[in-house]
Amino acid sequence: MKTTIKATWENTLKKGEGSFSSENTLMDGMNYHFTKRPNKAATTPEEFLAAAYSACYNMTLAMVLSENNHTPKCLETHCHIDYDMDNIKAAEIEITTTIDNLEEEEFLELAAQAKKLCPIGNSFAFPSTLTVNYKK
């Protein structure tokens, strides 16, 4: 598998803006900025990183659960990226779910296993943590 996105940038870091070109119509022409700007529809690279990690973790956890004969109703994962001007310091994924016929202890084990298997999370050079909110 291979994914390709072209990113272009114009002007200085703080005044400039960029856009993505992609075969994916949802991303083609999407704008990005250095920081969020009022009245401008755009994203930031850090926001994309959080989206990629939370989506990848959800899919990995769904795989691990199904391999163990469990079907989640809904996996809700938030990803918090802690960063400053110099680097990304850490990421935290926070999962909230309810799954019929699954004890919390087993879910905690499966959630931790999914974190270890998540390809996006495994590519990070910075620390990443997992918080679980399991509801019966």
Side-chain angles (χ1 to χ4, degrees):
M1 295 186 294
K2 188 175 186 177
T3 298
T4 303
I5 297 287
K6 181 174 98 178
T8 59
W9 185 264
E10 294 178 5
N11 212 330
T12 65
L13 176 63
K14 292 186 179 180
K15 291 181 182 179
E17 67 181 18
S19 66
F20 297 111
S21 296
S22 173
E23 292 179 2
N24 179 335
T25 57
L26 293 173
M27 292 191 63
D28 191 43
M30 182 182 288
N31 292 326
Y32 65 97
H33 296 147
F34 166 66
T35 60
K36 298 256 182 186
R37 297 180 187 170
N39 305 318
K40 288 252 184 173
T43 189
T44 63
E46 297 81 12
E47 190 172 49
F48 259 108
L49 185 61
Y53 192 17
S54 58
C56 186
Y57 180 77
N58 274 345
M59 291 186 290
T60 305
L61 181 55
M63 176 192 72
V64 169
L65 288 166
S66 65
E67 288 174 347
N68 287 274
N69 299 313
H70 299 290
T71 302
K73 292 179 183 176
C74 178
L75 299 174
E76 183 179 297
T77 301
H78 295 255
C79 181
H80 314 279
I81 300 290
D82 182 16
Y83 64 97
D84 61 23
M85 290 293 295
D86 296 323
N87 60 33
I88 296 175
K89 296 178 177 200
E92 177 190 5
I93 47 175
E94 181 180 350
I95 178 74
T96 303
T97 192
T98 302
I99 301 171
D100 293 336
N101 303 314
L102 179 63
E103 295 300 318
E104 183 175 6
E105 185 176 310
E106 183 181 359
F107 180 74
L108 292 172
E109 290 173 13
L110 296 175
Q113 181 183 352
K115 183 179 178 294
K116 290 178 184 175
L117 294 172
C118 178
I120 298 292
N122 285 334
S123 68
F124 296 153
F126 48 84
S128 145
T129 59
L130 171 65
T131 301
V132 176
N133 300 310
Y134 189 69
K135 300 177 180 181
K136 281 251 149 219

